[in-house]
Amino acid sequence: MTDPELRLTQMISKLRTLDFRITPQRLAVLKILAHSTGHPTIEWIYEEVRRDFPTVSLATIYKTATLLKGLGEVVELETRDGRHRFDGNKPYPHPHVICTQCKQILDFEDASLETLIREVSAKTGYEISDHQLDFFGLCPQCRKEIDPSDTLEQ
Amino acid sequence: MTDPELRLTQMISKLRTLDFRITPQRLAVLKILAHSTGHPTIEWIYEEVRRDFPTVSLATIYKTATLLKGLGEVVELETRDGRHRFDGNKPYPHPHVICTQCKQILDFEDASLETLIREVSAKTGYEISDHQLDFFGLCPQCRKEIDPSDTLEQ
DNA sequence: CTCCCTGCAAACCTTTTGCATGTGA
DNA sequence: TCACATGCAAAAGGTTTGCAGGGAG
Protein backbone atom coordinates (compact mmCIF):
# COMPACT_ATOMS: atom_id res chain seq x y z
CA MET A 1 0.00 0.00 0.00
CA THR A 2 1.24 3.43 -0.94
CA ASP A 3 1.20 6.07 1.79
CA PRO A 4 -2.27 7.61 1.49
CA GLU A 5 -1.09 11.08 2.51
CA LEU A 6 1.55 10.98 -0.19
CA ARG A 7 -1.02 9.96 -2.77
CA LEU A 8 -3.32 12.75 -1.64
CA THR A 9 -0.52 15.28 -2.00
CA GLN A 10 0.32 13.96 -5.45
CA MET A 11 -3.28 14.18 -6.59
CA ILE A 12 -3.71 17.72 -5.30
CA SER A 13 -0.48 18.83 -6.97
CA LYS A 14 -1.56 17.34 -10.26
CA LEU A 15 -4.87 19.20 -10.14
CA ARG A 16 -3.24 22.49 -9.11
CA THR A 17 -0.59 22.23 -11.80
CA LEU A 18 -3.24 21.80 -14.45
CA ASP A 19 -5.37 24.63 -13.04
CA PHE A 20 -8.22 22.49 -11.86
CA ARG A 21 -9.95 23.82 -8.78
CA ILE A 22 -9.73 22.11 -5.44
CA THR A 23 -13.32 22.29 -4.27
CA PRO A 24 -14.40 20.80 -0.95
CA GLN A 25 -16.30 18.08 -2.79
CA ARG A 26 -13.30 17.19 -4.91
CA LEU A 27 -11.06 17.14 -1.89
CA ALA A 28 -13.41 14.71 -0.18
CA VAL A 29 -13.33 12.39 -3.19
CA LEU A 30 -9.54 12.66 -3.43
CA LYS A 31 -9.15 11.70 0.21
CA ILE A 32 -11.31 8.64 -0.17
CA LEU A 33 -9.53 7.48 -3.30
CA ALA A 34 -6.08 8.12 -1.86
CA HIS A 35 -6.82 6.15 1.28
CA SER A 36 -8.97 3.31 0.07
CA THR A 37 -7.51 -0.05 -0.78
CA GLY A 38 -10.94 -1.60 -1.12
CA HIS A 39 -11.55 -0.58 -4.73
CA PRO A 40 -14.64 1.51 -4.03
CA THR A 41 -17.55 1.95 -6.41
CA ILE A 42 -18.97 5.33 -7.38
CA GLU A 43 -21.96 4.63 -5.18
CA TRP A 44 -19.74 3.89 -2.17
CA ILE A 45 -17.70 7.07 -2.64
CA TYR A 46 -20.95 8.97 -3.01
CA GLU A 47 -22.27 7.66 0.30
CA GLU A 48 -19.01 8.53 2.04
CA VAL A 49 -18.85 12.05 0.67
CA ARG A 50 -22.50 12.60 1.57
CA ARG A 51 -21.64 12.30 5.23
CA ASP A 52 -19.81 15.63 5.03
CA PHE A 53 -21.66 17.13 2.07
CA PRO A 54 -25.28 16.00 2.20
CA THR A 55 -26.16 17.81 -1.03
CA VAL A 56 -23.37 16.37 -3.17
CA SER A 57 -24.61 14.71 -6.34
CA LEU A 58 -23.70 11.45 -8.01
CA ALA A 59 -22.84 13.46 -11.10
CA THR A 60 -20.08 15.25 -9.23
CA ILE A 61 -18.58 11.96 -8.08
CA TYR A 62 -18.69 10.64 -11.62
CA LYS A 63 -17.14 13.80 -13.02
CA THR A 64 -14.37 13.83 -10.44
CA ALA A 65 -13.56 10.17 -10.92
CA THR A 66 -13.52 10.61 -14.69
CA LEU A 67 -11.24 13.61 -14.35
CA LEU A 68 -8.78 11.76 -12.13
CA LYS A 69 -8.85 8.77 -14.41
CA GLY A 70 -8.02 11.00 -17.34
CA LEU A 71 -5.08 12.40 -15.43
CA GLY A 72 -3.84 8.93 -14.60
CA GLU A 73 -4.28 9.49 -10.87
CA VAL A 74 -6.78 6.69 -10.56
CA VAL A 75 -7.36 3.40 -12.35
CA GLU A 76 -10.70 1.93 -13.13
CA LEU A 77 -11.31 -1.78 -12.86
CA GLU A 78 -14.03 -3.94 -14.31
CA THR A 79 -15.08 -6.60 -11.90
CA ARG A 80 -18.08 -8.22 -13.56
CA ASP A 81 -20.46 -6.89 -10.95
CA GLY A 82 -21.90 -4.35 -13.32
CA ARG A 83 -20.30 -1.30 -11.81
CA HIS A 84 -17.01 0.47 -12.10
CA ARG A 85 -14.52 0.39 -9.27
CA PHE A 86 -11.54 2.61 -8.68
CA ASP A 87 -8.12 2.41 -7.18
CA GLY A 88 -6.49 5.71 -6.30
CA ASN A 89 -3.95 4.26 -3.96
CA LYS A 90 -2.11 2.23 -6.58
CA PRO A 91 -2.98 4.09 -9.77
CA TYR A 92 -1.38 1.64 -12.15
CA PRO A 93 -2.58 -1.71 -13.48
CA HIS A 94 -2.02 -4.64 -11.16
CA PRO A 95 -3.55 -8.10 -10.78
CA HIS A 96 -6.59 -8.68 -8.58
CA VAL A 97 -8.02 -11.74 -6.97
CA ILE A 98 -11.79 -11.41 -6.74
CA CYS A 99 -14.19 -13.55 -4.73
CA THR A 100 -17.24 -14.32 -6.84
CA GLN A 101 -19.28 -14.85 -3.70
CA CYS A 102 -18.56 -11.95 -1.36
CA LYS A 103 -16.97 -9.64 -3.95
CA GLN A 104 -13.86 -9.10 -1.83
CA ILE A 105 -10.95 -7.89 -3.92
CA LEU A 106 -7.31 -8.62 -3.14
CA ASP A 107 -4.29 -7.07 -4.79
CA PHE A 108 -1.69 -9.46 -6.09
CA GLU A 109 1.91 -8.74 -6.93
CA ASP A 110 3.48 -10.31 -9.95
CA ALA A 111 6.80 -9.51 -11.54
CA SER A 112 6.48 -11.69 -14.62
CA LEU A 113 3.92 -9.43 -16.24
CA GLU A 114 6.44 -6.95 -17.64
CA THR A 115 8.15 -9.74 -19.53
CA LEU A 116 4.84 -10.94 -20.87
CA ILE A 117 3.90 -7.46 -22.08
CA ARG A 118 7.11 -7.22 -24.08
CA GLU A 119 6.40 -10.62 -25.54
CA VAL A 120 2.87 -9.62 -26.55
CA SER A 121 4.18 -6.45 -28.10
CA ALA A 122 6.85 -8.30 -30.06
CA LYS A 123 4.49 -10.98 -31.32
CA THR A 124 1.55 -8.80 -32.30
CA GLY A 125 3.05 -5.45 -33.24
CA TYR A 126 0.68 -3.75 -30.81
CA GLU A 127 1.87 -0.88 -28.69
CA ILE A 128 0.61 -2.06 -25.31
CA SER A 129 -0.33 0.78 -22.97
CA ASP A 130 -2.50 -0.94 -20.42
CA HIS A 131 -3.58 -4.33 -19.23
CA GLN A 132 -5.91 -6.09 -16.90
CA LEU A 133 -5.34 -9.32 -15.05
CA ASP A 134 -8.00 -10.60 -12.70
CA PHE A 135 -8.49 -13.97 -11.09
CA PHE A 136 -11.94 -15.07 -10.03
CA GLY A 137 -12.79 -17.68 -7.46
CA LEU A 138 -13.84 -18.33 -3.90
CA CYS A 139 -11.98 -16.79 -1.00
CA PRO A 140 -11.07 -19.09 1.92
CA GLN A 141 -13.96 -17.72 3.97
CA CYS A 142 -16.59 -18.41 1.32
CA ARG A 143 -15.13 -21.82 0.52
CA LYS A 144 -15.70 -22.82 4.15
CA GLU A 145 -19.24 -21.50 4.16
CA ILE A 146 -20.17 -23.39 1.03
CA ASP A 147 -18.42 -26.62 1.97
CA PRO A 148 -17.45 -26.91 5.64
CA SER A 149 -15.37 -29.98 4.88
CA ASP A 150 -13.17 -27.93 2.58
CA THR A 151 -9.72 -28.24 4.04
CA LEU A 152 -8.33 -25.34 2.04
CA GLU A 153 -5.61 -27.63 0.75
CA GLN A 154 -4.22 -27.11 -2.76
CA MET B 1 -9.33 -22.04 -33.71
CA THR B 2 -11.49 -24.98 -32.72
CA ASP B 3 -13.45 -26.69 -35.50
CA PRO B 4 -16.72 -24.74 -35.64
CA GLU B 5 -18.79 -27.77 -36.59
CA LEU B 6 -17.43 -29.68 -33.64
CA ARG B 7 -18.29 -26.81 -31.32
CA LEU B 8 -21.77 -26.63 -32.76
CA THR B 9 -22.29 -30.34 -32.15
CA GLN B 10 -21.01 -30.02 -28.62
CA MET B 11 -23.35 -27.14 -27.88
CA ILE B 12 -26.38 -28.94 -29.29
CA SER B 13 -25.57 -32.09 -27.33
CA LYS B 14 -25.26 -30.12 -24.14
CA LEU B 15 -28.66 -28.51 -24.68
CA ARG B 16 -30.32 -31.80 -25.61
CA THR B 17 -28.83 -33.62 -22.65
CA LEU B 18 -30.23 -31.02 -20.30
CA ASP B 19 -33.63 -31.02 -22.01
CA PHE B 20 -33.42 -27.56 -23.44
CA ARG B 21 -35.23 -27.16 -26.74
CA ILE B 22 -33.41 -26.59 -29.97
CA THR B 23 -35.50 -23.87 -31.55
CA PRO B 24 -34.59 -22.39 -34.92
CA GLN B 25 -33.63 -19.12 -33.23
CA ARG B 26 -31.39 -20.87 -30.75
CA LEU B 27 -29.78 -22.89 -33.49
CA ALA B 28 -29.01 -19.70 -35.38
CA VAL B 29 -27.33 -18.20 -32.30
CA LEU B 30 -25.42 -21.41 -31.66
CA LYS B 31 -24.09 -21.45 -35.20
CA ILE B 32 -22.87 -17.90 -34.97
CA LEU B 33 -21.19 -18.44 -31.63
CA ALA B 34 -19.61 -21.71 -32.71
CA HIS B 35 -18.15 -20.18 -35.85
CA SER B 36 -17.17 -16.69 -34.79
CA THR B 37 -13.67 -15.86 -33.70
CA GLY B 38 -14.40 -12.15 -33.67
CA HIS B 39 -15.88 -11.99 -30.16
CA PRO B 40 -19.29 -10.75 -31.25
CA THR B 41 -21.53 -8.48 -29.23
CA ILE B 42 -25.20 -9.24 -28.52
CA GLU B 43 -26.12 -6.55 -31.00
CA TRP B 44 -24.00 -8.12 -33.72
CA ILE B 45 -25.44 -11.59 -33.15
CA TYR B 46 -28.89 -10.03 -33.21
CA GLU B 47 -28.28 -8.43 -36.60
CA GLU B 48 -26.95 -11.70 -37.99
CA VAL B 49 -29.86 -13.77 -36.74
CA ARG B 50 -32.29 -11.19 -38.07
CA ARG B 51 -31.22 -11.99 -41.59
CA ASP B 52 -32.91 -15.37 -41.31
CA PHE B 53 -35.45 -14.53 -38.61
CA PRO B 54 -36.58 -10.95 -39.13
CA THR B 55 -38.84 -11.03 -36.08
CA VAL B 56 -36.29 -12.33 -33.60
CA SER B 57 -35.95 -10.15 -30.51
CA LEU B 58 -32.93 -8.89 -28.63
CA ALA B 59 -34.36 -10.55 -25.54
CA THR B 60 -34.07 -13.95 -27.16
CA ILE B 61 -30.44 -13.34 -28.01
CA TYR B 62 -29.74 -12.23 -24.46
CA LYS B 63 -31.55 -15.22 -23.02
CA THR B 64 -29.75 -17.67 -25.26
CA ALA B 65 -26.35 -16.17 -24.59
CA THR B 66 -27.02 -16.18 -20.85
CA LEU B 67 -28.13 -19.79 -21.02
CA LEU B 68 -25.03 -20.88 -22.91
CA LYS B 69 -22.82 -18.95 -20.57
CA GLY B 70 -24.42 -20.69 -17.62
CA LEU B 71 -23.72 -24.03 -19.24
CA GLY B 72 -20.09 -23.09 -19.84
CA GLU B 73 -20.48 -23.32 -23.60
CA VAL B 74 -19.61 -19.69 -24.09
CA VAL B 75 -17.40 -17.20 -22.28
CA GLU B 76 -18.18 -13.58 -21.81
CA LEU B 77 -15.47 -10.95 -22.03
CA GLU B 78 -15.42 -7.39 -20.77
CA THR B 79 -13.69 -5.14 -23.18
CA ARG B 80 -14.26 -1.68 -21.76
CA ASP B 81 -16.44 -0.67 -24.67
CA GLY B 82 -19.58 -0.80 -22.60
CA ARG B 83 -20.98 -3.99 -24.04
CA HIS B 84 -20.50 -7.66 -23.45
CA ARG B 85 -18.78 -9.83 -25.98
CA PHE B 86 -18.84 -13.58 -26.34
CA ASP B 87 -16.58 -16.36 -27.46
CA GLY B 88 -18.25 -19.65 -28.27
CA ASN B 89 -15.42 -21.04 -30.31
CA LYS B 90 -12.91 -21.15 -27.49
CA PRO B 91 -15.20 -21.30 -24.47
CA TYR B 92 -12.47 -21.06 -21.88
CA PRO B 93 -10.56 -18.04 -20.61
CA HIS B 94 -7.65 -16.93 -22.75
CA PRO B 95 -5.71 -13.68 -23.11
CA HIS B 96 -6.81 -10.99 -25.55
CA VAL B 97 -5.02 -8.09 -27.15
CA ILE B 98 -7.46 -5.27 -27.75
CA CYS B 99 -6.96 -2.17 -29.88
CA THR B 100 -8.30 0.86 -28.02
CA GLN B 101 -8.79 2.65 -31.31
CA CYS B 102 -10.51 0.25 -33.71
CA LYS B 103 -11.67 -2.26 -31.07
CA GLN B 104 -10.12 -5.18 -32.92
CA ILE B 105 -9.58 -8.16 -30.63
CA LEU B 106 -6.81 -10.71 -31.04
CA ASP B 107 -6.45 -13.97 -29.18
CA PHE B 108 -3.12 -14.61 -27.57
CA GLU B 109 -1.66 -17.90 -26.44
CA ASP B 110 0.26 -18.10 -23.23
CA ALA B 111 1.39 -21.16 -21.39
CA SER B 112 2.69 -19.47 -18.27
CA LEU B 113 -0.75 -18.67 -16.97
CA GLU B 114 -1.42 -22.08 -15.48
CA THR B 115 1.66 -21.74 -13.33
CA LEU B 116 0.58 -18.32 -12.23
CA ILE B 117 -2.89 -19.54 -11.27
CA ARG B 118 -1.39 -22.20 -9.02
CA GLU B 119 0.82 -19.54 -7.47
CA VAL B 120 -2.14 -17.25 -6.83
CA SER B 121 -4.07 -20.12 -5.30
CA ALA B 122 -1.22 -21.09 -3.03
CA LYS B 123 -0.51 -17.56 -1.86
CA THR B 124 -4.08 -16.41 -1.26
CA GLY B 125 -6.00 -19.56 -0.37
CA TYR B 126 -8.53 -18.75 -3.07
CA GLU B 127 -9.97 -21.51 -5.22
CA ILE B 128 -9.45 -19.93 -8.63
CA SER B 129 -12.09 -20.92 -11.17
CA ASP B 130 -11.73 -18.26 -13.79
CA HIS B 131 -9.51 -15.43 -14.90
CA GLN B 132 -9.25 -12.63 -17.35
CA LEU B 133 -6.13 -11.29 -18.98
CA ASP B 134 -6.42 -8.50 -21.50
CA PHE B 135 -3.84 -6.20 -23.01
CA PHE B 136 -4.87 -2.83 -24.33
CA GLY B 137 -3.04 -0.74 -26.86
CA LEU B 138 -2.82 0.32 -30.47
CA CYS B 139 -2.73 -2.22 -33.27
CA PRO B 140 -0.10 -1.76 -36.00
CA GLN B 141 -2.71 -0.32 -38.36
CA CYS B 142 -3.93 2.34 -35.93
CA ARG B 143 -0.38 3.21 -34.89
CA LYS B 144 0.39 4.07 -38.49
CA GLU B 145 -2.74 6.16 -38.89
CA ILE B 146 -2.03 8.16 -35.77
CA ASP B 147 1.69 8.61 -36.43
CA PRO B 148 2.80 7.81 -40.01
CA SER B 149 6.44 8.00 -38.93
CA ASP B 150 5.86 5.15 -36.54
CA THR B 151 8.21 2.45 -37.69
CA LEU B 152 6.47 -0.23 -35.67
CA GLU B 153 9.76 -1.01 -33.98
CA GLN B 154 9.41 -2.41 -30.47
C1' DC C 1 -51.01 -31.90 -25.45
C1' DT C 2 -47.68 -29.50 -22.42
C1' DC C 3 -44.42 -26.76 -21.13
C1' DC C 4 -40.90 -24.17 -22.57
C1' DC C 5 -39.53 -20.48 -25.65
C1' DT C 6 -40.38 -16.32 -28.19
C1' DG C 7 -41.29 -11.55 -28.96
C1' DC C 8 -42.94 -7.31 -27.49
C1' DA C 9 -42.82 -3.66 -24.35
C1' DA C 10 -41.88 -1.86 -20.17
C1' DA C 11 -38.79 -1.73 -16.40
C1' DC C 12 -34.07 -1.36 -14.58
C1' DC C 13 -29.58 0.47 -13.46
C1' DT C 14 -25.56 2.62 -14.07
C1' DT C 15 -23.52 6.30 -16.36
C1' DT C 16 -23.69 10.64 -19.10
C1' DT C 17 -25.32 15.14 -20.38
C1' DG C 18 -27.50 19.94 -20.34
C1' DC C 19 -28.09 23.83 -18.04
C1' DA C 20 -28.98 27.31 -14.45
C1' DT C 21 -26.83 28.53 -10.20
C1' DG C 22 -23.02 28.93 -7.21
C1' DT C 23 -18.05 29.66 -5.98
C1' DG C 24 -12.78 29.09 -5.79
C1' DA C 25 -8.73 31.59 -7.15
C1' DT D 1 -14.73 39.09 -11.17
C1' DC D 2 -15.71 35.08 -14.06
C1' DA D 3 -14.45 30.77 -15.87
C1' DC D 4 -15.17 26.58 -14.01
C1' DA D 5 -17.59 23.32 -10.79
C1' DT D 6 -21.87 21.84 -8.68
C1' DG D 7 -26.39 19.77 -8.43
C1' DC D 8 -30.59 18.71 -10.31
C1' DA D 9 -33.17 16.37 -13.62
C1' DA D 10 -33.58 14.30 -17.80
C1' DA D 11 -31.51 11.32 -21.24
C1' DA D 12 -28.90 7.60 -22.78
C1' DG D 13 -27.64 2.93 -23.51
C1' DG D 14 -27.18 -1.72 -22.43
C1' DT D 15 -29.50 -5.44 -20.10
C1' DT D 16 -33.38 -7.75 -17.69
C1' DT D 17 -38.10 -8.97 -16.79
C1' DG D 18 -43.27 -10.03 -17.24
C1' DC D 19 -46.46 -11.94 -19.75
C1' DA D 20 -49.55 -13.58 -23.54
C1' DG D 21 -49.26 -16.29 -27.47
C1' DG D 22 -46.80 -19.85 -30.18
C1' DG D 23 -44.31 -24.08 -31.22
C1' DA D 24 -40.86 -28.07 -30.03
C1' DG D 25 -40.89 -32.56 -28.33
Side-chain angles (χ1 to χ4, degrees):
Chain A
M1 180 183 186
T2 313
D3 174 42
E5 292 306 326
L6 175 61
R7 284 295 304 130
L8 183 57
T9 308
Q10 291 172 340
M11 289 179 175
I12 293 175
S13 306
K14 176 69 86 65
L15 288 182
R16 272 205 227 287
T17 304
L18 299 171
D19 280 328
F20 289 105
R21 293 177 185 166
I22 313 291
T23 65
Q25 294 93 329
R26 276 190 179 162
L27 188 56
V29 174
L30 294 189
K31 281 184 184 168
I32 290 170
L33 285 169
H35 284 79
S36 72
T37 53
H39 310 86
T41 61
I42 292 284
E43 193 67 32
W44 191 85
I45 300 170
Y46 174 57
E47 296 300 338
E48 288 296 303
V49 175
R50 246 198 332 181
R51 292 184 182 180
D52 293 325
F53 303 90
T55 66
V56 77
S57 69
L58 259 180
T60 296
I61 312 293
Y62 273 109
K63 284 167 184 167
T64 304
T66 303
L67 173 64
L68 291 171
K69 185 183 156 192
L71 301 180
E73 291 296 318
V74 143
V75 290
E76 190 173 353
L77 14 158
E78 319 243 343
T79 50
R80 299 186 178 179
D81 63 352
R83 58 198 71 196
H84 297 309
R85 291 174 177 271
F86 296 87
D87 190 330
N89 185 262
K90 288 166 68 179
Y92 47 85
H94 56 272
H96 297 100
V97 189
I98 303 167
C99 179
T100 51
Q101 189 76 17
C102 68
K103 311 296 179 194
Q104 186 197 61
I105 303 177
L106 240 62
D107 283 349
F108 187 79
E109 303 297 333
D110 182 63
S112 64
L113 221 49
E114 285 308 315
T115 315
L116 189 53
I117 289 174
R118 275 191 294 277
E119 187 187 327
V120 170
S121 196
K123 280 191 183 170
T124 65
Y126 272 61
E127 181 183 312
I128 304 298
S129 54
D130 193 11
H131 67 267
Q132 175 163 348
L133 174 53
D134 296 323
F135 297 94
F136 299 90
L138 290 172
C139 68
Q141 186 66 29
C142 289
R143 287 175 65 179
K144 271 236 161 95
E145 281 168 15
I146 286 172
D147 175 13
S149 74
D150 193 325
T151 58
L152 304 187
E153 303 287 321
Q154 149 63 244
Chain B
M1 179 183 186
T2 312
D3 174 41
E5 292 306 324
L6 174 62
R7 284 295 304 130
L8 183 57
T9 308
Q10 291 171 341
M11 288 179 175
I12 293 176
S13 307
K14 177 68 90 59
L15 288 182
R16 273 206 225 285
T17 303
L18 298 172
D19 279 329
F20 289 104
R21 293 179 185 166
I22 314 292
T23 65
Q25 293 92 330
R26 274 192 181 159
L27 187 56
V29 174
L30 294 188
K31 281 184 184 169
I32 290 170
L33 285 169
H35 285 80
S36 71
T37 53
H39 310 86
T41 61
I42 292 283
E43 193 67 32
W44 191 86
I45 299 170
Y46 174 57
E47 296 300 338
E48 288 297 304
V49 176
R50 252 210 315 192
R51 292 184 183 180
D52 292 324
F53 303 91
T55 66
V56 76
S57 69
L58 258 181
T60 295
I61 311 293
Y62 273 109
K63 285 166 185 167
T64 304
T66 303
L67 173 65
L68 291 171
K69 184 182 156 194
L71 301 181
E73 291 296 317
V74 143
V75 290
E76 189 173 353
L77 12 159
E78 318 244 343
T79 51
R80 297 185 179 179
D81 64 352
R83 59 198 71 197
H84 297 308
R85 291 173 178 271
F86 297 87
D87 191 330
N89 185 262
K90 288 166 68 178
Y92 47 85
H94 56 271
H96 297 101
V97 189
I98 302 167
C99 179
T100 51
Q101 190 76 17
C102 68
K103 311 298 180 194
Q104 185 198 62
I105 303 177
L106 240 62
D107 283 350
F108 187 80
E109 303 296 333
D110 183 63
S112 65
L113 222 49
E114 284 308 315
T115 315
L116 188 53
I117 288 174
R118 276 192 293 277
E119 188 187 327
V120 170
S121 196
K123 280 191 183 172
T124 65
Y126 271 61
E127 180 184 310
I128 305 297
S129 55
D130 193 12
H131 67 269
Q132 175 163 348
L133 173 54
D134 297 322
F135 298 95
F136 299 90
L138 290 173
C139 69
Q141 186 66 27
C142 289
R143 287 174 65 179
K144 271 232 159 99
E145 280 168 17
I146 287 172
D147 175 13
S149 73
D150 192 324
T151 57
L152 303 187
E153 302 288 321
Q154 168 46 245

